[in-house]
Amino acid sequence: VLSFIIFICYIASVATSFMMAPLLEFLLALFLFFAYASKLNEKFKGLYWPLMDFLRCVTAAIIYFAISIAAVSKYNDGASKAAGVFGFIATIVYAIDFYITFNDLVTFLKQGSSDSPEGRKSE
């Protein structure tokens, strides 16, 4: 939701060149939400779903921080300032999600590494 609000703010502002990052992040978050909701992560075991979510959080936090600094410092209209403020809020939200996802990723990788040596020993 926050990505969609930032996207709308960038459309209404002078800084329309920044609108692609929130749109792509919104669509990627929507895809991962529906993938988890429809249990695609259980059907496609070859993909590391926690790693994909982890990388999405890290890149989103970095990109939102960078474009928020540019929007607040370079443009003077209200919509650009609002998009920048919402971008800083999104940076904090994605950083928290990064921390939570990192803990899930560590648990996921520990489970995978404990299963692998047992499978190799039996072969």
Side-chain angles (χ1 to χ4, degrees):
V1 173
L2 196 56
S3 294
F4 188 70
I5 292 170
I6 296 169
F7 172 68
I8 297 298
C9 288
Y10 278 128
I11 287 177
S13 73
V14 178
T16 56
S17 60
F18 296 136
M19 74 175 184
M20 193 55 118
L23 177 64
L24 289 176
E25 183 55 40
F26 172 71
L27 293 176
L28 188 59
L30 197 63
F31 167 73
L32 286 175
F33 174 73
F34 282 119
Y36 279 117
S38 62
K39 307 287 186 194
L40 282 178
N41 58 335
E42 295 173 2
K43 293 177 185 175
F44 296 107
K45 297 285 186 179
L47 296 174
Y48 295 115
W49 291 90
L51 182 62
M52 288 178 17
D53 198 22
F54 174 76
L55 291 175
R56 181 189 61 87
C57 293
V58 170
T59 56
I62 292 169
I63 289 171
Y64 274 130
F65 186 69
I67 65 173
S68 295
I69 288 174
V72 170
S73 64
K74 187 175 179 183
Y75 299 100
N76 291 327
D77 61 317
S80 295
K81 300 286 185 193
V85 169
F86 280 123
F88 287 126
I89 293 169
T91 301
I92 293 169
V93 168
Y94 280 114
I96 292 169
D97 192 23
F98 158 80
Y99 177 74
I100 293 169
T101 306
F102 180 75
N103 289 335
D104 292 341
L105 181 65
V106 167
T107 305
F108 178 78
L109 291 176
K110 282 182 182 177
Q111 288 174 350
S113 65
S114 66
D115 293 340
S116 297
E118 293 173 5
R120 290 182 191 146
K121 288 179 185 177
S122 64
E123 292 175 3

